[in-house]
Amino acid sequence: MRQLAEQLLATGFDRLSERECRVIAGVAQRTQVSRNVNHAFEEKRTFGDRLADRVATFGGSWVFITLFLATLAAWALFNSAILAGFVEAFDPYPYIFLNLLLSMLAALQAPIIMMSQNRQAARDRVAASLDYEINLKAEVEIMELHEKLDRIRSQHLEELLRAQQQQLRLLTRLADAGGAA
């Protein structure tokens, strides 16, 4: 591994980061570096994380928006039209109690959605890290292939030169034998 790092990356093995060492080891051992980021990230999620993700998913859906608008319309209709005819509305216009409930909902929903977004950002960082490892491994393997091709080309050229030298010797002998006759 040290030789591979020094040969292909032109740096000492000791100067590589832990991730780069892991990639070099993967190249040397011919193991797979890529991993499923969803599986790697899913293993670390807690119940609260899953709940926050579900709340954020539902809170950002058309179903939530539709239900929310229907609830607001029903609240306004119930308090302004229906109750006004029979008894005093418990939350008459301008719906101060409804505003309080909406403020409390926003105060709870915003941090939950932010938690979910932070987790998504962390997942993206893990994905970027895995992408970097895969790209580095691909780059190292491409460099290794170039080295192999260069060695093969060099060996092929050496064989051609040897064959050419042998042919020149034979031609020289033939010329000497033809000149002597």
Side-chain angles (χ1 to χ4, degrees), residues 118-156:
N118 288 342
R119 218 173 359 279
Q120 182 63 38
R123 183 192 168 283
D124 292 343
R125 284 191 297 276
V126 169
S129 176
L130 291 176
D131 287 346
Y132 171 76
E133 288 181 18
I134 291 166
N135 291 339
L136 180 62
K137 182 178 182 197
E139 186 176 343
V140 167
E141 287 192 357
I142 288 170
M143 286 190 285
E144 189 176 25
L145 286 173
H146 280 288
E147 291 285 327
K148 285 180 182 178
L149 284 174
D150 289 344
R151 280 193 304 272
I152 290 170
R153 187 180 303 128
S154 178
Q155 289 170 353
H156 184 66

Side-chain angles (χ1 to χ4, degrees), residues 25-123:
V27 170
Q29 298 167 359
R30 301 277 185 223
T31 59
Q32 182 178 354
V33 174
S34 61
R35 295 183 303 246
N36 184 343
V37 91
N38 294 324
H39 181 67
F41 198 72
E42 194 69 30
E43 293 172 348
K44 298 177 184 175
R45 284 180 32 166
T46 64
F47 172 75
D49 294 340
R50 288 191 299 278
L51 181 63
D53 288 342
R54 285 191 189 121
V55 168
T57 300
F58 179 69
S61 70
W62 282 108
V63 172
F64 174 78
I65 291 171
T66 303
L67 288 173
F68 195 69
L69 287 176
T71 302
L72 291 177
W75 185 281
L77 182 67
F78 184 71
N79 276 290
S80 297
I82 296 174
L83 286 181
F86 302 106
V87 294
E88 185 177 334
F90 66 89
D91 188 23
Y93 181 82
Y95 313 117
I96 294 172
F97 185 61
L98 176 63
N99 282 326
L100 172 67
L101 293 177
L102 293 176
S103 296
M104 290 189 310
L105 175 67
L108 288 174
Q109 192 177 21
I112 291 172
I113 290 171
M114 287 175 61
M115 286 172 14
S116 180
Q117 288 175 338
N118 288 342
R119 218 173 359 279
Q120 182 63 38
R123 183 192 168 283

